[in-house]
Amino acid sequence: MSGSATKLASCFVGLDKRYVTDVDLTARTSTGDPEGEIAERLEAPAEDELERRLAGLRGEIELPIPAASAVKIDGERAYKLARRGIEVQMPIRRSRVEALEVITYTGVEVRLDLRVSSGTYVRAIANALGGHCRTLRRLEIGPFSVDEADTSRFIPADEALARL
C-alpha cells in the first residue's frame, strides 16, 4: 500500500493467511526459528505420531504467543524483553487453522501448507509440534497471492477493495 491507500490498511490486516513452512522436529528454539538458541533437543516423531499432533492443531486452537514477538507486555515489545533475558508469561492467542497439510516429511523435517486466521503465529504451531520453523513464507493474504506480485504494478485501491 502506498500514498493515500495506506488509510485502507485496516481492511486488509485481518484477512486470513496462507503459509508454507519447514519445521525442524528435532529441536525447539528460544525464538521458534533458527535464530534462537536451542532450548530442547527432541527425537522427531514417527509419521502416525506427527499426524496425531497435527490433528490437534486444526480448527479452533489456543496457543501461547511466542516470546520473540512484537506483542506488548506491560507496554514493551515481548521480543525486547526476551533479548534482555527477561522471562514473562506470554498470553494465549485463540486462532483458527483452516488447513494444515503435510507436503513432505523426511523423518526429521516436515514441510507444511497452512491456511490460518489473522493473528496466528506459525512459530507457535511449530513449537506445539515439537520443533521450530526453519523457513516460513507467506503465500497469500485474503484473495491476494504472491504469485501475482509484480513490482512494476500496483493494484489500484478500488480494485483491491472489490476483491474483498
Side-chain angles (χ1 to χ4, degrees), residues 11-156:
C11 297
F12 300 92
V13 171
L15 296 174
D16 288 355
K17 315 282 189 301
R18 179 176 173 216
Y19 297 94
V20 168
T21 184
D22 293 312
V23 178
D24 178 339
L25 295 170
T26 65
R28 286 188 170 115
T29 68
S30 59
T31 58
D33 60 33
E35 302 299 315
E37 295 180 21
I38 293 176
E40 181 181 13
R41 292 229 180 253
L42 303 157
E43 187 173 320
E47 281 189 60
D48 60 333
E49 172 61 17
L50 174 62
E51 186 49 49
R52 188 189 66 70
R53 293 178 190 180
L54 290 167
L57 292 168
R58 292 182 180 108
E60 296 290 326
I61 63 169
E62 291 184 347
L63 294 171
I65 296 172
S69 70
V71 168
K72 287 190 176 181
I73 305 292
D74 295 328
E76 191 167 1
R77 301 285 182 193
Y79 68 85
K80 289 183 178 183
L81 296 168
R83 285 182 185 157
R84 291 199 316 263
I86 299 170
E87 290 188 34
V88 296
Q89 184 69 32
M90 293 303 294
I92 301 294
R93 167 93 30 107
R94 184 175 188 82
S95 58
R96 187 182 70 259
V97 178
E98 291 293 331
L100 180 56
E101 304 302 326
V102 173
I103 298 170
T104 58
Y105 184 45
T106 66
V108 171
E109 186 172 281
V110 63
R111 176 167 285 178
L112 300 170
D113 185 339
L114 304 92
R115 289 184 185 274
V116 298
S117 62
S118 180
T120 302
Y121 286 90
V122 177
R123 287 176 294 141
I125 291 173
N127 188 66
L129 287 173
H132 67 276
C133 290
R134 202 179 55 68
T135 66
L136 178 62
R137 183 166 190 224
R138 184 183 297 161
L139 299 178
E140 297 174 4
I141 176 168
F144 305 97
S145 170
V146 71
D147 292 337
E148 65 183 309
D150 181 349
T151 56
S152 66
R153 178 180 171 267
F154 281 98
I155 298 173

